C-alpha cells in the first residue's frame, strides 16, 4: 500500500513494497513479476512511478529485464562502494529502509598487541568489544565486530542498546563525528559460529572487511571487522 500524503516519494514506496514481496518469496528468484500495467492498477499510481521503482530495483540487482519476456527476480546482491563506505544506518536510510540490528555480545577486554596497534593505544588497555548482526534483506545479513578504546568513551557499555546507531551515539554523547576511514577487503571462509549467525553454509565464502575510522581532528574513533555473504554482496572502488 502506498500513501500519497507521505513524505516518502511514491516510487520509493512502490520499490519498498515490491522488495518486501521479493524477500517474503511472493515473487521468488527466477519468477516473472506482474506487468507495468498490472502494477499500475494494483498500486494506483502512474506508469512513470512504476517504471522508476522497477529501474531502482534493477540498479540494486533485485530485478532483471529480459527482452520480449518481461522483468524477473534475480539472485540479488547488495552493492556498496568501498571507497565511499558509510555506516550501516546511512546505507539503509539512503535505500529508504529501516535499519534492523541485533547485539550478539558487548563486553570489555584487554587489548592484545595487535589490537592495541590498530587502535593506537597501549597494550592491555581496556577495550569495548561490540558484536552485532545487521539485516539487509531476506536471509542477507552482515556481522560486525567493532572495538572502542574504553578510556576514550566512558560508560559506553551502559549507553549501548539493542537498536542504537553507534555513529549517532558517538556523535551525540562524545562529540565524535566520522570524517575519514581506511578499508581492507579480503575473502574468508565462514567458521561454524559465523555460518550460524549469517545463515550460510559452513566454509561459505565471506567478504571480510576491516575498517578504521577517524574524526576531523585525525583522532582514531574505532576499528571494526565486518563479514558479509560473498554471494549476496559486491563492492566497487569508484570515486
Amino acid at each position: 500500500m502506498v500513501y500519497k500524503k507521505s513524505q516518502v516519494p511514491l516510487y520509493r514506496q512502490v520499490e519498498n513494497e515490491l522488495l518486501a514481496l521479493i524477500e517474503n518469496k511472493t515473487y521468488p528468484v527466477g519468477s516473472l513479476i506482474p506487468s507495468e500495467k498490472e502494477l499500475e492498477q494494483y498500486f494506483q499510481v502512474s506508469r512513470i512511478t512504476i517504471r522508476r521503482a522497477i529501474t531502482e530495483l534493477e540498479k540494486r540487482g533485485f530485478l532483471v529485464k529480459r527482452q520480449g519476456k518481461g522483468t524477473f527476480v534475480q539472485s540479488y546482491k547488495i552493492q556498496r562502494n568501498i571507497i565511499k563506505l558509510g555506516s550501516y544506518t546511512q546505507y539503509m536510510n539512503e535505500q529508504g529502509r529501516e535499519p534492523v540490528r541485533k547485539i550478539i555480545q558487548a563486553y570489555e577486554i584487554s587489548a592484545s598487541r595487535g589490537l592495541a596497534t590498530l587502535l593506537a593505544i597501549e597494550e592491555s588497555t581496556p577495550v569495548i568489544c561490540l558484536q552485532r548482526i545487521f539485516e539487509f534483506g531476506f536471509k542477507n545479513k552482515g556481522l560486525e565486530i567493532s572495538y572502542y578504546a574504553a578510556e576514550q568513551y566512558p560508560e559506553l557499555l551502559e549507553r549501548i542498546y539493542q537498536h542504537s546507531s553507534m555513529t549517532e551515539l558517538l556523535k551525540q554523547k562524545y562529540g565524535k563525528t566520522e570524517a575519514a576511514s581506511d578499508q581492507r577487503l579480503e575473502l574468508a571462509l565462514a567458521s561454524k559460529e559465523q555460518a550460524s549467525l549469517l545463515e550460510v553454509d559452513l566454509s561459505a565464502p565471506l567478504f571480510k572487511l576491516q575498517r578504521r575510522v577517524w574524526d576531523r581532528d585525525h583522532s582514531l574513533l574505532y576499528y571494526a571487522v565486518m563479514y558479509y555473504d560473498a554471494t549476496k554482496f559486491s563492492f566497487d572502488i569508484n570515486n
Side-chain angles (χ1 to χ4, degrees):
M1 180 179 294
V2 298
Y3 299 92
K4 296 187 177 180
K5 293 184 179 181
S6 171
Q7 294 182 347
V8 179
L10 287 176
Y11 82 88
R12 186 69 77 185
Q13 294 185 55
V14 173
E15 179 186 349
N16 290 338
E17 288 287 332
L18 287 173
L19 182 57
L21 292 170
I22 291 170
E23 291 179 342
N24 69 23
K25 294 190 176 181
T26 298
Y27 304 141
V29 172
S31 67
L32 176 69
I33 68 168
S35 67
E36 290 182 356
K37 182 178 180 179
E38 290 171 319
L39 291 173
E40 181 183 354
Q41 294 174 344
Y42 178 78
F43 288 109
Q44 292 296 296
V45 295
S46 70
R47 187 71 60 90
I48 292 175
T49 297
I50 295 298
R51 286 177 180 171
R52 177 72 184 275
I54 290 175
T55 297
E56 291 300 317
L57 288 172
E58 282 186 277
K59 291 179 181 178
R60 294 170 63 185
F62 292 96
L63 297 176
V64 58
K65 286 184 179 178
R66 296 176 183 168
Q67 189 67 32
K69 294 183 179 180
T71 303
F72 293 79
V73 179
Q74 68 174 350
S75 180
Y76 50 84
K77 289 187 176 184
I78 301 294
Q79 294 180 307
R80 304 200 67 180
N81 188 309
I82 194 169
I83 294 178
K84 301 177 182 178
L85 191 68
S87 70
Y88 165 73
T89 300
Q90 178 186 352
Y91 172 79
M92 294 298 280
N93 288 340
E94 288 173 352
Q95 303 304 314
R97 303 177 64 194
E98 188 71 23
V100 180
R101 313 172 186 83
K102 179 181 179 181
I103 294 176
I104 306 301
Q105 295 185 80
Y107 54 95
E108 186 176 294
I109 60 174
S110 294
S112 64
R113 180 179 298 179
L115 184 57
T117 299
L118 288 166
L119 287 173
I121 58 177
E122 296 292 328
E123 187 176 350
S124 300
T125 298
V127 171
I128 303 302
C129 177
L130 174 62
Q131 299 183 28
R132 297 185 295 173
I133 288 290
F134 297 147
E135 299 276 355
F136 288 92
F138 181 74
K139 289 190 176 182
N140 193 355
K141 302 177 179 180
L143 169 63
E144 178 188 85
I145 306 170
S146 50
Y147 302 90
Y148 306 83
E151 291 184 358
Q152 189 175 353
Y153 304 107
E155 301 180 354
L156 179 61
L157 271 179
E158 290 76 13
R159 289 173 169 167
I160 297 172
Y161 61 92
Q162 189 63 258
H163 300 295
S164 61
S165 163
M166 292 303 295
T167 300
E168 289 301 312
L169 178 58
L170 297 187
K171 180 179 179 180
Q172 293 174 7
K173 298 298 183 181
Y174 302 98
K176 302 292 186 179
T177 302
E178 298 183 10
S181 64
D182 65 22
Q183 282 78 229
R184 179 179 179 181
L185 183 66
E186 57 189 359
L187 281 174
L189 300 180
S191 66
K192 184 176 180 180
E193 180 182 10
Q194 292 165 347
S196 176
L197 291 172
L198 295 173
E199 297 186 64
V200 299
D201 294 332
L202 180 64
S203 297
L206 302 178
F207 280 124
K208 178 182 178 182
L209 178 64
Q210 299 179 68
R211 187 170 188 244
R212 292 194 300 170
V213 179
W214 289 266
D215 65 11
R216 293 189 181 93
D217 297 325
H218 307 291
S219 174
L220 186 63
L221 299 184
Y222 65 88
Y223 164 69
V225 184
M226 291 158 277
Y227 296 91
Y228 305 98
D229 182 349
T231 67
K232 295 180 181 178
F233 274 81
S234 66
F235 291 89
D236 64 57
I237 55 174
N238 297 320
N239 285 316

